[in-house]
Amino acid sequence: MKSSRPRSKNDIFTYRRLRRAIGYLGIALPVLLVGLSFIPFFKTEVQPSISDYYYSNLRDIFTGILAAVGLFMICYKGHGNDSIWKNDQLLTNVAGIMAVGVALVPVTPEVWPEEAYTLIPYHLSWLGWVHYAFAALLFGIFALLAINVFTIGQNKAENIPVSTMNENNIYRFCGSAILVLIILVPVSESFKLFQYSTLILEALTLFFFGTAWLIKGRALGDEGKLGEKLYRERNS
């Protein structure tokens, strides 16, 4: 069912802030993990994938940011829709749960650590498949949100032409890129395409995810020529 309650300006600004927070956190996760890996104080090498940081000294950043993204998405009450593929509220709730699952259920490490203190016994290797299932569903929903949900309900000023920078074009591009990268991740792991291929592909996936949410949250503003090109609105 679609929501019938009109949203106030405060509601709209709150949703935009949530979208920006989700977008910034998504982009920041790989940047922080890799960047801090080069600082000797943290005694952490660059890992083969983002998930492998679970077993490093940067685990708190990995789990903390993912858990924060998950909680923000669960708190984000989007529009309902009769189609589950376009149901903003349902999809963000499921994505939030998946994000928390990725944070708490460890991937099977390439090299078993001598000791690691975890909530869930990491020596159960089958948990790695659960982790991958959570991650695949999470990224799949990210793509679905960008392509199917974010493109709903744009204000259309008929006197403003549709630009190549139109927000819907950006959402579809980001969503399509996420889908392609999801497929490339297991391929890269199987064939070892290049060094740190999985880490780089995951970082790119999070970049496109974050970009879609930042554009939806109007992080670049929506006034003047930019507002016209992105949102087909004329706000001065």
Side-chain angles (χ1 to χ4, degrees):
M1 295 295 291
K2 294 182 180 180
S3 174
S4 58
R5 183 179 73 84
R7 290 179 174 174
S8 68
K9 283 189 175 181
N10 285 338
D11 288 337
I12 292 172
F13 291 142
T14 298
Y15 279 99
R16 288 179 183 175
R17 283 192 290 269
L18 266 176
R19 290 165 183 160
R20 292 174 193 173
I22 291 169
Y24 284 130
L25 287 172
I27 293 175
L29 178 59
V31 173
L32 283 174
L33 292 175
V34 175
L36 294 177
S37 297
F38 289 100
I39 299 177
F41 173 79
F42 293 101
K43 300 179 181 179
T44 297
E45 296 179 354
V46 177
Q47 300 297 303
S49 73
I50 290 176
S51 295
D52 282 297
Y53 277 95
Y54 185 93
Y55 297 102
S56 75
N57 291 330
L58 299 174
R59 180 174 64 177
D60 290 346
I61 293 176
F62 168 74
T63 57
I65 291 180
L66 272 177
V69 169
L71 291 175
F72 282 151
M73 297 193 82
I74 292 170
C75 292
Y76 177 86
K77 301 300 180 185
H79 289 288
N81 195 292
D82 292 334
S83 170
I84 62 172
W85 307 112
K86 295 182 178 182
N87 192 312
D88 197 3
Q89 185 169 344
L90 173 64
L91 291 173
T92 51
N93 283 343
V94 175
I97 295 170
M98 294 301 103
V100 174
V102 171
L104 297 182
V105 178
V107 68
T108 303
E110 290 190 1
V111 178
W112 291 97
E114 294 181 3
E115 61 177 11
Y117 300 100
T118 65
L119 291 174
I120 298 174
Y122 64 90
H123 62 277
L124 300 176
S125 58
W126 57 268
L127 283 174
W129 293 104
V130 177
H131 175 91
Y132 287 131
F134 283 152
L137 188 54
L138 175 64
F139 286 133
I141 293 177
F142 286 166
L144 198 58
L145 285 168
I147 295 171
N148 262 15
V149 176
F150 286 180
T151 51
I152 297 174
Q154 182 188 48
N155 294 326
K156 296 181 180 180
E158 299 299 334
N159 60 330
I160 301 177
V162 179
S163 166
T164 53
M165 289 178 57
N166 181 266
E167 61 172 329
N168 286 353
N169 292 335
I170 295 174
Y171 300 144
R172 293 188 182 102
F173 177 80
C174 288
S176 300
I178 291 171
L179 289 176
V180 171
L181 291 165
I182 291 173
I183 296 171
L184 287 178
V185 167
V187 173
S188 72
E189 288 192 352
S190 299
F191 296 99
K192 305 295 181 184
L193 298 180
F194 49 88
Q195 191 175 20
Y196 301 117
S197 58
T198 299
L199 175 66
I200 293 171
L201 292 172
E202 289 175 341
L204 287 173
T205 302
L206 288 170
F207 171 78
F208 288 117
F209 155 74
T211 298
W213 279 84
L214 288 176
I215 295 298
K216 193 67 176 177
R218 306 202 173 195
L220 299 177
D222 55 8
E223 298 183 354
K225 291 295 182 182
L226 183 64
E228 293 180 16
K229 290 181 179 295
L230 284 175
Y231 306 107
R232 294 187 75 187
E233 295 176 1
R234 187 169 283 126
N235 301 316
S236 56

